[in-house]
Structures are given as structure tokens and as C-alpha cells.
């Protein structure tokens, strides 16, 4: 997750620069911008090759967890979560993130105690007591910030976005997704077209001349209804990470509507119900197993497709005191689903029962936007 914030200033952009940062980094680092700015003229003896950023509106991202113990960029409380923070109901300590900036000011704003907070879009900053940090020298001493602010940000419904397809000249972004066979789940997006066409032909479904576009998802989530019996039912949740980096402390929030109060247990994840109606359940990895690894090469990189990182668990539900549930008709599938706070795109129709099961059902909800799973997180 990236945040875009303005620089610290009291009356407009005055050319301040970020010299160093802990817990985060700027996306662009160009010493030439600094040398040709007011800062370059004022700080003539400063080594700008070591300066973090001189932009007026830099894009700043949280550091990944593996940098939290770095002596230069880490060693900061609550830092380095790769942009993923958990809801307070799951873990209050992991529900906050922090980064620190060392800012060089320019005339006329040279008064070190006359600091003004940045104007965050997510909420007004509130002045709080200066934060304390372990001394960087390693001695048992405490260093205090000159000034600290607290900003509260809440997740809001994202605005409708245009198609993220790479090349709409070869696909149609308005086409409905095509169904995928189960064995295509472990096939990279770019290699799924043949499976989608073969599955459509086998099941007598139309294949448009111009296929739907891929959604360029980095994470896909499969919801598989395993069983449906008189007193309850079970599902299996599988998360696939197609990125080349890992997600630590990931979480999935599933809204099950009227079937939600029947949630009983999850067997390979931790879970947290969301009060007061308990229709939404949040899942996260167990301690020591909360790392959703990234994509890796196949056994033979020249022949085998890449393999996504994967975690899965079976989830059990009861039907007691819940009347009129139709599990295969739609009640057994989430009405909303979130990965790390981002709302996922859901299929618009449900698959049918598998004819090979008499006592229960086995359905696989996996759709494809040409070459990508639809039940997936939209990420930049």
C-alpha cells in the first residue's frame, strides 16, 4: 500500500527536502532534482547523493518486514509492515504503522520548533506528546522527537476504476469472464487461455471472438464448497499469491450474509468474528505460518510454469437456528470478500453441483478474465 502525502510546510510548498527516512521510502530518488532546487543553493556543502527526496509531493511506501531490524532504515516501533495493517479487533499492536522523516527546512521556515503537520487526506492530524525511540547509538538511552502527530485513516469504498488491462487492442474489457476448469488454478494467468477455450467448448458455452481482458491480479482467492448436509456444511478457502514478494500478517475478511452466524471453526487459520451480527469472519495465518510466500519458478523453469505461494484451510458452518439456507444456490458463497483491506471482485453467478457427488456437493468458484481468476484482489 502506498500513500501520497505533501511535504511538511506551514504556508505552501517551500522546497523542504527529506534527508533520511526510517520505516518507509520514497519511490523516486533523484539527486539532480535536489541540486537544481532551492535546497541545492542553500545547502551547498550537503552530499545530495545521500538525500532521500526533494520532490514537493513524494510517493512514500511502507518498508517490507525484512527491513525492520535494519540499522539505517528500520529500528522503529510499529514500522515495516509492507503497507498491511490488521484491524484492531484482530491485533491492536499490528493495527498501526509508523515511519519517521528527517526534514531539512529552507528560509523563511527555519524555526525548528515551528513545525506544521502534513495535510493528510484521510483525516486531520492531531498533535500528541513527542514520540520516544531507542537511542541509535545502542546505549540504554531514549531519544524524543521534537514533535509528533497522530493521523487516523479508515478504509473507504474505492472509486470505480478503468480497466487495468495492459493492451485492450487484443481483448475486450467489457466481456464477461470465462469459466475455468479446476486444474487451471495453478497455471499462471498468461497460460490459461487454452484451458478456458477448451472448457467452454466441452461445456457448450459460447466463446467470443474477442476474449475478455486479464485483470492483472496479484492475489487470487478460491472458495470451494466441499459438503452440504442437513445440519451443516463446509467450505475450503485457498489463497494464491502470484506476486514475487511475500505477504506477512495477511488477512481475509469474508461476509457470509445470513449463513455467517452459523460459522463454527477454521482448521488451519486463526479467525475473528466481527460483531454485532457476526456475519463477517476475519481469517489470518497461525503464528509462525502467517507468511504467504511469493511466486517461485517451477521445477524446470524452461518447461514448467511458475508456482504461486499458497495457503488454505477448511471452514465449517452449522445450519442450526438458520432457516431457508440454500448452500449451492448462493448462500454458501461470500457476498463480499476482502484481502488486506482491499475489496475483491466476485463472480456474478454460481457454478452448478458436481454430478459425481450424491450426498454432498463439490463446486469450484473460479472464473477467468481471459487469463486471470476473477475472484481476486485488484492491486497496482
Amino acid at each position: 500500500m502506498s500513500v501520497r502525502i505533501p511535504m511538511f510546510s506551514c504556508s505552501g510548498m517551500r522546497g523542504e527536502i527529506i534527508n533520511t527516512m526510517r520505516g518507509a521510502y520514497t519511490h523516486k530518488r533523484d539527486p539532480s532534482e535536489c541540486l537544481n532546487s532551492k535546497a541545492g543553493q542553500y545547502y551547498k556543502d550537503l552530499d545530495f547523493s545521500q538525500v532521500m527526496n526533494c520532490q514537493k509531493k513524494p510517493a512514500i511506501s511502507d518498508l517490507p518486514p525484512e527491513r525492520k531490524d535494519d540499522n539505517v532504515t528500520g529500528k522503529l516501533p510499529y514500522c515495516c509492515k509492507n503497507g498491511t495493517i490488521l484491524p484492531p479487533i484482530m491485533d491492536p499492536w499490528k493495527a498501526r504503522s509508523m515511519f519517521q522523516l528527517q526534514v531539512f527546512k529552507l528560509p523563511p521556515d527555519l524555526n525548528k520548533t515551528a513545525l506544521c503537520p502534513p495535510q493528510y487526506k484521510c483525516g486531520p492530524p492531531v498533535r500528541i506528546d513527542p514520540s520516544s525511540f531507542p537511542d541509535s547509538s545502542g546505549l540504554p538511552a531514549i531519544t524524543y522527537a521534537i514533535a509528533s502527530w497522530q493521523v487516523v485513516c479508515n478504509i473507504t469504498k474505492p472509486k470505480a476504476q478503468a480497466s487495468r488491462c495492459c493492451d485492450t487492442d487484443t481483448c475486450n474489457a467489457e466481456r464477461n469472464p470465462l469459466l475455468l476448469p479446476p486444474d487451471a488454478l495453478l497455471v499462471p494467468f498468461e497460460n490459461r487461455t487454452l484451458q478456458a477455450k477448451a472448457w467452454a467448448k466441452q461445456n457448450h458455452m459460447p466463446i467470443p471472438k474477442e476474449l475478455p481482458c486479464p485483470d492483472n491480479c496479484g492475489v487470487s482467492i478460491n472458495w470451494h464448497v466441499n459438503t452440504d448436509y442437513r445440519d451443516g456444511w463446509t467450505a475450503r478457502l485457498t489463497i494464491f499469491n502470484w506476486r514475487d514478494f511475500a505477504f506477512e500478517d495477511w488477512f481475509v475478511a469474508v461476509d457470509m450474509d445470513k449463513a455467517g452466524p452459523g460459522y463454527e471453526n477454521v482448521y488451519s487459520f486463526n479467525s475473528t468474528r466481527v460483531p454485532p451480527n457476526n456475519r463477517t469472519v476475519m481469517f489470518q495465518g497461525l503464528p509462525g505460518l502467517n507468511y504467504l510466500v511469493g511466486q517461485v519458478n517451477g521445477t524446470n523453469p524452461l518447461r514448467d510454469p511458475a508456482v504461486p505461494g499458497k495457503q488454505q484451510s477448511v471452514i465449517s458452518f452449522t445450519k442450526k437456528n438458520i432457516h431457508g439456507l440454500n448452500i449451492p444456490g448462493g448462500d454458501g458463497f461470500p457476498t463480499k470478500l476482502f484481502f488486506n483491506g482491499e475489496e475483491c471482485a466476485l463472480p456474478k453467478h454460481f457454478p452448478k453441483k458436481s454430478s459425481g457427488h450424491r450426498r454432498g456437493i463439490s463446486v469450484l468458484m473460479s472464473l477467468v478474465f481471459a487469463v486471470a481468476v476473477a475472484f481476486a484482489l485488484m492491486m497496482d
Side-chain angles (χ1 to χ4, degrees), residues 7 15-21 24-37 39-40 43-55 58 72-73 101-106:
M7 292 292 296
E16 303 92 332
I17 63 174
I18 299 177
N19 186 46
T20 61
M21 293 186 70
Y25 67 97
T26 58
H27 287 202
K28 186 176 181 180
R29 189 168 183 168
D30 186 357
S32 64
E33 286 189 353
C34 302
L35 292 171
N36 297 324
S37 67
Y43 294 104
K44 295 181 180 180
D45 297 328
L46 184 64
D47 181 5
F48 282 99
S49 66
Q50 303 300 316
V51 171
M52 176 67 70
N53 190 277
C54 293
Q55 293 176 289
V72 177
T73 59
L101 301 84
Q102 182 193 41
V103 178
F104 280 16
K105 306 178 74 177
L106 293 175

Side-chain angles (χ1 to χ4, degrees), residues 307-353:
V307 179
K310 182 181 72 172
Q311 286 205 23
Q312 67 177 4
S313 181
V314 173
I315 308 167
S316 62
F317 296 83
T318 180
K319 294 182 180 178
K320 294 179 181 179
N321 303 320
I322 306 176
H323 303 289
L325 283 180
N326 183 354
I327 300 304
D331 292 335
F333 299 99
T335 55
K336 287 187 178 181
L337 190 145
F338 298 82
F339 179 83
N340 284 0
E342 295 281 352
E343 187 169 1
C344 302
L346 299 183
K348 296 181 180 180
H349 65 277
F350 302 103
K352 298 179 180 179
K353 286 185 180 182

Side-chain angles (χ1 to χ4, degrees), residues 233-255:
W233 59 284
T234 63
R236 184 175 70 243
L237 174 69
T238 309
I239 310 170
F240 299 97
N241 181 11
W242 297 95
R243 296 288 187 180
D244 56 2
F245 56 83
F247 289 95
E248 185 180 17
D249 292 324
W250 58 267
F251 73 94
V252 172
V254 180
D255 185 345

Side-chain angles (χ1 to χ4, degrees), residues 11 57 277:
S11 56
K57 293 184 178 182
N277 57 26

Side-chain angles (χ1 to χ4, degrees), residues 284-299:
Q284 65 180 137
L286 294 170
L289 300 173
N290 58 334
Y291 226 73
L292 179 60
V293 300
Q295 177 180 275
V296 297
N297 290 330
T299 304

